[in-house]
Amino acid sequence: MASIASFYTLHSNGSSLVLDCRSNAPAILYWGSRLYGATQPSMIALLKTRQEAQARVQGEPLLALSPEIGAGFLGTPGIQIHRAGQQWNVYSQMESVQENGQTLTISSACKATGIRIVHILSLDSETDVLQATTEVTNLESSTLWINACNAPCIPLPMDYDQILAFEGRWSNEFQLQKSQRLLGAYVRENRRGRTSHDAFPGVMVHPRETNESAGDVYALHLGWSGNHRLAVEERSEGRSYAQLGELLFPGEMSLESGESYVSPKLFGVHSANGFSGASRQLHGFVREHLTDVRMKDKLKRIHFNTWEAVYFDLTMDKLCELADEAADIGVERFVLDDGWFKGRNSEDEGLGDWYVDEAVFPEGLTPLIEYVNGKGMEFGLWLEPEMVNPKSDLYRNHPDWVLDAKPAPQVMTRNQLVLDLTRVEVQEYLFERIDSLLSEYSITYLKWDMNRSLNQPGGESGRAVTHYQTLALYKLLDRVRVAHPMVEIESCASGGGRADYGILRYTDRVWTSDTNDALDRLRVQRGFSYFFPPEFMGAHVGPEHCHVTGRRLSMALRAGVSFFGDMGVEANLLELSEEEKRELCSAIELHKKHRALLFSGDNYRLELPMFELGFGVVSPDKSEALFSYALIQTPPRSAPGVYRFKGLKSDTCYEIRVVWPEKPKSYSRSVLDVLDGAVLSGDVLMTVGTQLPILMPESLLIFHLHEVDA
Ligand code: GLA
């Protein structure tokens, strides 16, 4: 057996990770800013020497990658297993550590429980993003029951006592929630069977002084679209750590001899450049490693989506009229949302019967698609494959194909039930339906929706199947992608209920939220931006009279907010005034002009008072930038404050242009008149900043800066 060194180190551009292998199990000794030549891991070990405290154990149980019950660890154990109540006491012995480029694979055996544990850690050299998994294999002949198997445990320095998490609800996703770490555990659990609106499986943990542009932070995220548990714990002995893993129902996971369970992958990054710094690294990682190759050099398309325009009220005439208008304003992809399939006249019926509704489309979808294509647009289609309405042929023929928790009655949401994707016949039916639609029609895009939680996730055998349902979904998506590689897929779950790095491996866009209220969107999109780059962020211009909040918002604001994501339109274009249409058209033109910058640039979120919101996107070479300023509410003083740009080159001059709105309204001569076209150094733009103009509340400005010779 190869000998195991005391320490193993991975270095990336800006980070280092040191693994401590001096004990029976592996542990992270250090993960943070890059260490250089003079540093030896033993120095860190020396500095981390801990003293025995009164009335505590002699020799603290290790904060291992999987903290061990057998070792006497009193916090959440990394691996919780048993064999009919026996062999629960995990205490492993490392057997090998393999170094392979940027990856460490640590293999351990646990005699007490009869398992092998494999931890894999890899640090991306460019973006500093850490990926980590824990695998458990059953080495004995009896059944091994798994209650939990978390991704590797991340020790946190004690001064990282602030938690920034992301929570929400339908139509109000990705809201920032700040807490202070506490003695015990800060825990978020999700049992919805999808990533959820409530508890995004990601967190930023940091010292008090960290802000958007400076300071240390760990960003941690579980790339998994099923159930999860996220915990940041603090023990009374003065140690703290985070553990993220799948949340398993009783009896959900068992392994027969030779079988393995792999935890969902933990993605994490350490940044010394504040929250925006961490986001830039994560965005870089998503762009490089989670963006499908076929999407990399492909331009995004401006969408028109029929949902908030016409809902279920579909007729060929109306759709063609909408297509005319969409093409006129510069739309590039026409997406037919819910309502196109057999018997789907309302939310109550039809889900599952994925056949074109002949009552609306007597000749199938071809005439509409040809019409749309003739207008120079691609065609996209909405589907909700995992669901079935009791009022459908599919359910009438296969009432046993759904998940349940018998004998309890079915819990209904939107009059629909969840199909058991772990059943081969369900997989085959769904694949056949999707494959035949994509084969028959010229469809370049699927909006893959999922509109209810798995409240009762019992499968055919009676056991909970959320884990296997999630894998079955991935498998189905993968099959569709392999069979139709040029079809883009959007992940939607009543808006942003399924946004995570697990689903991004199979999808190309996220429908961020069902609210098209631009004011609400500002915060939803800001929250989304912590872990996801803007090209994944579906952002549509909704109706003037927002359907979700009832607020009336100007086209200038609605278009200015959508501008910063993967832009689209979801309003009834037939109801827009000529002026609104013209304004929308010019916002779309502006987006097209700048989308290459938006979708490759570095994000900077600004910290402004509650009544304002600002952020910017700077090109990687810093020669060009777009910044946005929104005045959300009436400011407390006559004039708002100062706007300081970020991320520019100090010793370079930029010409600044106010590119949105087209005609900012002003009572007196506006600051913008002075600013527009001025040539200013990066230095003063960032340190002095510009006085903001007096604006009406609910206004949004977009500044464009480009480098010029002084
Ligand atoms: C969900 C989606 C919406 C729309 C409807 C259609 O709510 O989030 O965008 O597609 O379903 O039923």
Side-chain angles (χ1 to χ4, degrees), residues 204-380:
M204 298 219 171
V205 193
H206 59 94
R208 200 161 290 254
E209 61 277 7
T210 301
N211 58 31
E212 281 294 344
S213 47
D216 288 302
V217 55
Y218 287 119
L220 305 172
H221 166 58
L222 196 73
W224 182 241
S225 318
N227 293 334
H228 66 257
R229 180 176 189 274
L230 175 162
V232 178
E233 299 188 20
E234 176 179 324
R235 307 277 322 147
S236 61
E237 76 259 16
R239 292 193 295 181
S240 171
Y241 48 89
Q243 281 193 64
L244 283 75
E246 183 176 11
L247 192 153
L248 296 166
F249 278 97
E252 181 173 351
M253 183 56 58
S254 65
L255 301 178
E256 297 308 323
S257 184
E259 289 182 341
S260 303
Y261 169 87
V262 186
S263 72
K265 196 179 267 186
L266 171 76
F267 296 85
V269 76
H270 172 269
S271 170
N273 299 313
F275 310 132
S276 288
S279 297
R280 288 193 290 277
Q281 287 163 260
L282 292 166
H283 292 183
F285 179 83
V286 170
R287 283 173 174 159
E288 193 48 40
H289 300 286
L290 298 180
T291 306
D292 196 81
V293 209
R294 72 199 205 298
M295 293 302 299
K296 277 199 178 146
D297 299 315
K298 199 171 166 200
L299 268 187
K300 289 279 181 177
R301 303 275 186 275
I302 301 279
H303 282 201
F304 171 75
N305 180 296
T306 56
W307 182 240
E308 288 206 345
V310 287
Y311 294 104
F312 293 107
D313 190 12
L314 305 179
T315 63
M316 260 305 274
D317 286 351
K318 201 183 289 173
L319 293 169
C320 291
E321 277 178 71
L322 285 167
D324 291 341
E325 296 293 331
D328 269 3
I329 58 167
V331 165
E332 298 158 308
R333 180 181 284 147
F334 186 96
V335 180
L336 180 58
D337 208 281
D338 201 350
W340 59 268
F341 47 98
K342 201 169 161 235
R344 184 66 166 174
N345 302 313
S346 71
E347 284 183 6
D348 292 354
E349 52 200 330
L351 286 179
D353 296 343
W354 303 110
Y355 297 88
V356 177
D357 189 351
E358 288 173 6
V360 188
F361 304 101
E363 294 160 64
L365 290 176
T366 302
L368 177 63
I369 297 178
E370 281 178 353
Y371 193 83
V372 163
N373 291 164
K375 293 267 157 190
M377 296 180 290
E378 296 178 7
F379 184 81

Side-chain angles (χ1 to χ4, degrees), residues 33 43 101 115 247 249 337 363 391 403 409 464 478 542 566 588 682:
S33 295
M43 298 173 180
I115 59 167
L247 192 153
F249 278 97
D337 208 281
E363 294 160 64
K391 284 191 200 162
L403 298 175
D478 194 48
D566 187 21
I588 288 175

